[in-house]
Amino acid sequence: MKPVTEITTTELANILTKITASTVVNITYLVDDARSKVVKGNKQVQKLVNITHVYLNHNYTKKVQNLTGDSSFVAYEMKGKTRISSTLLQADKTKELMIDGKVLKSQTVHNLAYFHNGEEITEKQGEELNLWTPSYYKHIEKQTMGRGSVDVEDDFNIINTYLSRIVKIKIQGIEYTIIKG
C-alpha cells in the first residue's frame, strides 16, 4: 500500500497548475447537497462524494464539438468564475480556487455519506427530518451537455469543486490528503 501524503490546498493548487495534459484523478470531497433545504442561509445536508474518474484538461467547447460533430458550437461565457489555468478556476466573489473537471456519464459517482449538523445520516433520515426541498421528490429530466446537443449515451458532467472541500485526491498514482493551512 502506497503512503498517503498530506498537503495544503495551496500545495494542491501548485500541483494542479502544472498539469497540462489530459489527466484522470480520483477525488473525494464534501459538498452541500443541492436537494437540501436552506435554513438561515445554510444547506441542511452535506454529502461526501467520491468520483473515480475526473478528467482534467478537457475543454468543454471542444468536447461538445467532438461528440456532436458541430464545429460551430461555442460555450457560453462562465459566470462568477475566472479561469486561472487549464485545471483551476477562481470564484469571483470569494477568490477561492476550484478544480475544473469533467465526468463521463459512464463513470460512477459514489455518494459515500450524508451529514446534518456534522452527524452522519441516511437519505431516509433526511426525509424523516424534513431536510429535503420539494424538488427532491420530483423526477426532473436533465438536458444533456452542449445545450442538449450531446447524445444521452455520450453525456458528461462538469464539476467545479472548491479545493478547500476536497478531502482526498489521487493524481498520477499519488494519493494526497488535504489538510487545513
Side-chain angles (χ1 to χ4, degrees):
M1 187 154 128
K2 294 182 181 180
V4 176
T5 304
E6 291 184 341
I7 59 173
T8 65
T9 55
T10 302
E11 291 168 321
L12 176 58
N14 290 334
I15 292 168
L16 291 171
T17 301
K18 293 174 185 164
I19 297 173
T20 57
S22 177
T23 303
V24 179
V25 299
N26 178 325
I27 299 177
T28 302
Y29 61 98
L30 185 67
V31 65
D32 289 334
D33 193 308
R35 306 165 303 168
S36 170
K37 286 185 177 178
V38 177
V39 175
K40 296 182 183 175
N42 295 312
K43 289 278 191 177
Q44 293 301 293
V45 179
Q46 290 69 45
K47 61 184 176 180
L48 187 63
V49 178
N50 177 260
I51 306 175
T52 56
H53 291 79
V54 176
Y55 294 83
L56 305 180
N57 292 304
H58 281 229
N59 178 290
Y60 173 69
T61 297
K62 288 180 184 174
K63 191 154 193 65
V64 171
Q65 289 174 347
N66 289 340
L67 290 171
T68 64
D70 179 5
S71 61
S72 67
F73 177 84
V74 178
Y76 292 144
E77 185 178 326
M78 283 189 297
K79 293 188 180 178
K81 302 170 190 167
T82 301
R83 183 159 299 284
I84 301 299
S85 73
S86 61
T87 56
L88 291 178
L89 305 172
Q90 185 176 50
D92 293 341
K93 283 185 183 178
T94 65
K95 304 300 181 201
E96 271 197 87
L97 294 178
M98 296 177 271
I99 193 168
D100 181 26
K102 310 302 179 280
V103 180
L104 302 181
K105 187 171 185 190
S106 63
Q107 304 300 331
T108 54
V109 177
H110 304 280
N111 290 334
L112 302 176
Y114 295 95
F115 297 92
H116 172 61
N117 293 333
E119 299 291 322
E120 189 171 343
I121 63 168
T122 64
E123 268 190 277
K124 183 164 178 47
Q125 288 171 313
E127 288 179 26
E128 292 166 356
L129 293 168
N130 195 29
L131 299 175
W132 305 113
T133 62
S135 63
Y136 168 80
Y137 300 97
K138 294 179 186 173
H139 176 71
I140 300 169
E141 278 297 319
K142 179 193 169 285
Q143 186 179 42
T144 63
M145 288 301 200
R147 298 185 286 278
S149 64
V150 173
D151 290 336
V152 172
E153 60 271 5
D154 294 329
D155 201 16
F156 63 97
N157 291 316
I158 297 172
I159 66 159
N160 299 142
T161 301
Y162 288 109
L163 298 189
S164 62
R165 296 289 190 118
I166 296 175
V167 176
K168 284 192 280 188
I169 186 167
K170 187 174 183 179
I171 305 169
Q172 298 168 333
I174 301 171
E175 187 171 303
Y176 300 96
T177 298
I178 311 309
I179 57 174
K180 303 294 178 210

